[in-house]
Amino acid sequence: MGTITILPETTKNPITLMGARAGCCWNANITDDGKNYKRGLDCIKSGHGRVMEYPNVEMIIDGYSAKTIREYYTHIIGASRLQASTRYIDYSKGEGFGYITPQSINNDEDVAATWHGIMRYINTYIQHLINNGVPVEDATMLLPLAYCTKMVDKRSLRSLIEMSRVRMCSRAYWEYRELFKDICNALREYSDEWKWIVDNLFHAKCDEVGYCTESKSCGRKPKRK
């Protein structure tokens, strides 16, 4: 599976920062980090979502499928992204492009052999096209949605919280759930304040409202009446 690298530009103490920004609203003392932290917690518990837009998260997301990264791109609020280029990177060099294999395919040896064979076939013909003068940017049109890509992502805490509501749902695509779990684990290790945020604020929508809001429910929570 892929890896998440939290970049040093990420806010180290997001709760303290939120408290400092909120303190400006009523001319409070924002030089005391202890008071800022308490004020930040109060903002979170009071549901003051605007201050959650100040903590910054910057990370490298590497080794997840283009299929899942395409879904990641739907979360556009408070975000900016750069993705590895299919115009200039020759994914057929060396061992070829990396790709994700779902467990449903790995469960059957014959099916898995077919899957890996198709991937090798695609890579061979991407190289064939390039060797015969087709530009890399055109030859890579053959890349499957399973190929692994790399992205630099920048977004606010509020954006990540909103993402958790739908991507930590048990009905979200399995690879996206793994991706978001990896993001959670990386942020937990970044600082104690991030650990508190992940453990207390990142969860599925049903855990937030107490019932399932989806028309098709997994059954973990009761449906809204």
Side-chain angles (χ1 to χ4, degrees):
M1 191 53 72
T3 57
I4 304 295
T5 302
I6 304 298
L7 296 173
E9 292 78 11
T10 298
T11 304
K12 196 74 173 180
N13 296 304
I15 299 173
T16 301
L17 175 66
M18 285 188 282
R21 296 296 178 265
C24 292
C25 295
W26 54 85
N27 201 29
N29 175 15
I30 60 172
T31 64
D32 187 324
D33 281 346
K35 291 181 179 179
N36 288 335
Y37 179 81
K38 291 179 181 178
R39 192 182 302 114
L41 282 179
D42 183 63
C43 286
I44 292 171
K45 294 174 182 177
S46 299
H48 296 165
R50 181 61 64 84
V51 296
M52 297 177 186
E53 296 173 10
Y54 286 93
N56 177 57
V57 180
E58 296 191 35
M59 53 189 164
I60 297 174
I61 299 173
D62 189 14
Y64 302 87
S65 74
K67 173 185 174 73
T68 290
I69 294 304
R70 178 194 171 280
E71 292 188 18
Y72 196 94
Y73 264 68
T74 64
H75 296 273
I76 59 176
I77 298 175
S80 182
R81 297 164 297 270
L82 294 171
Q83 188 172 353
S85 175
T86 55
R87 291 194 65 194
Y88 304 112
I89 299 175
D90 185 349
Y91 287 91
S92 68
K93 287 184 176 179
E95 296 181 0
F97 58 83
Y99 57 89
I100 296 297
T101 302
Q103 189 57 48
S104 60
I105 290 173
N106 270 332
N107 287 337
D108 187 298
E109 289 186 8
D110 290 337
V111 171
T114 299
W115 175 266
H116 297 304
I118 291 171
M119 295 301 168
R120 288 192 297 270
Y121 181 88
I122 293 172
N123 190 74
T124 297
Y125 277 91
I126 289 176
Q127 186 64 68
H128 174 75
L129 292 174
I130 294 170
N131 289 342
N132 283 274
V134 176
V136 170
E137 65 184 31
D138 293 332
T140 50
M141 292 282 282
L142 282 176
L143 284 169
L145 281 175
Y147 95 92
C148 292
T149 187
K150 186 176 185 179
M151 177 175 67
V152 183
D153 184 69
K154 171 182 167 65
R155 65 182 58 242
S156 69
L157 166 60
R158 191 175 194 177
S159 178
L160 277 177
I161 290 173
E162 291 179 359
M163 190 188 299
S164 77
R165 298 293 184 262
V166 292
R167 302 304 180 174
M168 294 183 78
C169 172
S170 60
R171 294 191 67 249
Y173 187 59
W174 67 269
E175 189 190 1
Y176 208 125
R177 296 200 308 271
E178 289 296 316
L179 165 59
F180 202 84
K181 181 176 71 176
D182 292 343
I183 291 173
C184 288
N185 289 337
L187 285 172
R188 281 191 185 99
E189 295 176 2
Y190 190 66
S191 74
D192 289 341
E193 288 194 19
W194 274 110
K195 184 179 187 305
W196 188 94
I197 284 174
V198 170
D199 291 343
N200 289 275
L201 302 182
F202 288 4
H203 46 248
K205 191 189 303 182
C206 63
D207 291 317
E208 181 73 9
V209 300
Y211 56 85
C212 179
T213 63
E214 299 290 327
S215 59
K216 295 181 180 179
S217 175
C218 73
R220 193 167 70 88
K221 293 282 188 179
K223 292 275 291 181
R224 178 173 53 184
K225 295 182 180 179

